[in-house]
Amino acid sequence: MEYPGKVFLTSEQQAFMDDCFKKFNKNLPALYLRFTCALPTLYLRFTCALLALYMRFTCALLALYLDDIIFQSGNIEINRGDIDDILTNQYLADNHVDAFAFLLSEKRRILPKEFQNYLYISPLYMAYRGYKQDFQIFIQHINSDSVRESKLIIQPICFQDHWVLVIGRLKDKVWKLYDSLPNPEHKAICTEVIKQIHEDKAGAFPSDIATWKLQTVRGVPTQSNDYDCEIFVCKYMERVVLRQKMDWASLKDWQKYMLKFRVELGYALCLTTKM
């Protein structure tokens, strides 16, 4: 067997090297087979480990992303996931409606002459009431003085994933129902919700408030899909509290502006400082 440097070895050294090369060449197929068989296993282990690390990183990043608070005021909280829901035509939740109501109250604070005096009742009122916090927005403001100073009571209501807006006109002693998908069943549940919330604040509201007549407002803009009802409720709220008389007939095409309304809400929340 020939190999480099053989001529420089003694006969004894050459015999030893020849024996080593013979053993190596004899075992080479077995070593090659072992390495070839082990390679897929090593590759699979490496791939699984890499995938596990990727999943952990992705989950951690997602948790960080979703927990990143964009807007907060008292018990109202909007995170990045909530902003995504606004901008991707998703069904919105109670915190979105409360956040819109907060922005509306800020507009009234800045431009008081353009708005009527109103009292907002959160759709999460019953849940918020049990929170142990020093500052509970849309909870502690409900008292006999605030009711007496208000012309309107604003109350969004959610029933079976559909949102409606109920407006109490204190002077006329009547409830007005704004519904983007008119349905007699929605009207029936509103009566029960009104009774429940106003009994909870016994003494703050007029004693006969739960017996006021509930009237459905006709001719308001309506929706053509099944996920924009919260935006309609927010826009109803925004229009009703203005001092100027509302011409609903001029707003029939609200549906085609829903994306614009969503972007406006998301933009306003992103620009509003946490409080």
Side-chain angles (χ1 to χ4, degrees), residues 163-203:
W163 285 87
V164 299
L165 179 67
V166 173
I167 304 293
R169 295 188 173 277
L170 288 150
K171 183 179 179 180
D172 301 327
K173 293 189 175 183
V174 65
W175 292 103
K176 297 287 186 177
L177 171 61
Y178 296 80
D179 189 355
S180 58
L181 288 175
N183 187 325
E185 190 175 12
H186 301 161
K187 186 175 181 179
I189 195 65
C190 286
T191 302
E192 296 302 317
V193 174
I194 290 169
K195 182 179 179 180
Q196 180 183 15
I197 290 183
H198 298 304
E199 282 182 351
D200 181 68
K201 277 291 182 181

Side-chain angles (χ1 to χ4, degrees), residues 73-75 102 132-138 140 275:
S73 181
N75 35 274
F102 173 83
K132 294 181 179 179
Q133 296 181 356
D134 294 333
F135 176 61
Q136 295 181 333
I137 191 168
F138 298 144
Q140 296 176 342
M275 302 183 68

Side-chain angles (χ1 to χ4, degrees), residues 6-252:
K6 184 175 181 179
V7 295
F8 299 105
L9 301 178
T10 64
S11 299
E12 196 172 303
Q13 290 173 332
Q14 290 180 10
F16 175 77
M17 291 298 294
D18 288 343
D19 185 54
C20 287
F21 275 109
K22 286 178 183 179
K23 290 180 179 180
F24 177 77
N25 290 333
K26 181 180 179 181
N27 294 326
L28 186 60
L31 290 172
Y32 175 77
L33 183 61
R34 286 182 182 180
F35 176 75
T36 305
C37 292
L39 192 60
T41 304
L42 291 172
Y43 174 78
L44 184 61
R45 287 182 180 179
F46 175 76
T47 305
C48 290
L50 190 62
L51 181 61
L53 287 173
Y54 173 77
M55 289 298 292
R56 287 183 181 180
F57 175 76
T58 303
C59 291
L61 189 63
L62 181 61
L64 180 64
Y65 175 79
L66 293 178
D67 288 341
D68 193 2
I69 298 174
I70 299 297
F71 167 83
Q72 185 175 36
S73 181
N75 35 274
I76 304 173
E77 186 174 287
I78 298 291
N79 58 38
R80 290 187 182 274
D82 295 321
I83 296 295
D84 286 346
D85 289 340
I86 295 172
L87 301 179
T88 55
N89 290 334
Q90 299 299 311
Y91 181 85
L92 304 187
D94 310 78
N95 57 325
H96 291 103
V97 177
D98 274 350
F100 183 90
F102 173 83
L103 295 175
L104 190 60
S105 68
E106 286 297 286
K107 287 183 182 179
R108 183 180 65 165
R109 183 179 62 82
I110 297 170
L111 301 168
K113 293 182 179 180
E114 294 187 12
F115 293 88
Q116 302 182 67
N117 291 331
Y118 67 88
L119 183 71
Y120 175 77
I121 301 179
S122 167
L124 285 173
Y125 169 78
M126 300 303 286
Y128 285 161
R129 190 188 57 172
Y131 285 10
K132 294 181 179 179
Q133 296 181 356
D134 294 333
F135 176 61
Q136 295 181 333
I137 191 168
F138 298 144
I139 298 298
Q140 296 176 342
H141 73 304
I142 303 176
N143 53 57
S144 56
D145 291 335
S146 61
V147 172
R148 186 170 55 254
E149 294 170 0
S150 300
K151 292 184 176 181
L152 304 174
I153 297 175
I154 312 296
Q155 187 170 326
I157 295 175
C158 182
F159 173 64
Q160 294 184 350
D161 293 333
H162 177 65
W163 285 87
V164 299
L165 179 67
V166 173
I167 304 293
R169 295 188 173 277
L170 288 150
K171 183 179 179 180
D172 301 327
K173 293 189 175 183
V174 65
W175 292 103
K176 297 287 186 177
L177 171 61
Y178 296 80
D179 189 355
S180 58
L181 288 175
N183 187 325
E185 190 175 12
H186 301 161
K187 186 175 181 179
I189 195 65
C190 286
T191 302
E192 296 302 317
V193 174
I194 290 169
K195 182 179 179 180
Q196 180 183 15
I197 290 183
H198 298 304
E199 282 182 351
D200 181 68
K201 277 291 182 181
F205 298 102
S207 58
D208 62 342
I209 197 167
T211 65
W212 292 357
K213 187 176 182 180
L214 178 61
Q215 301 174 343
T216 301
V217 179
R218 308 294 180 185
V220 298
T222 55
Q223 66 188 97
S224 58
N225 57 37
D226 59 355
Y227 54 80
D228 276 332
C229 52
E230 310 93 330
I231 301 295
F232 273 89
V233 162
C234 290
K235 299 305 288 185
Y236 291 152
M237 193 190 316
E238 182 181 55
R239 295 288 180 169
V240 168
V241 298
L242 292 174
R243 290 186 184 276
Q244 65 186 49
K245 189 175 180 181
M246 195 66 254
D247 179 16
W248 295 109
S250 66
L251 303 171
K252 290 295 185 180

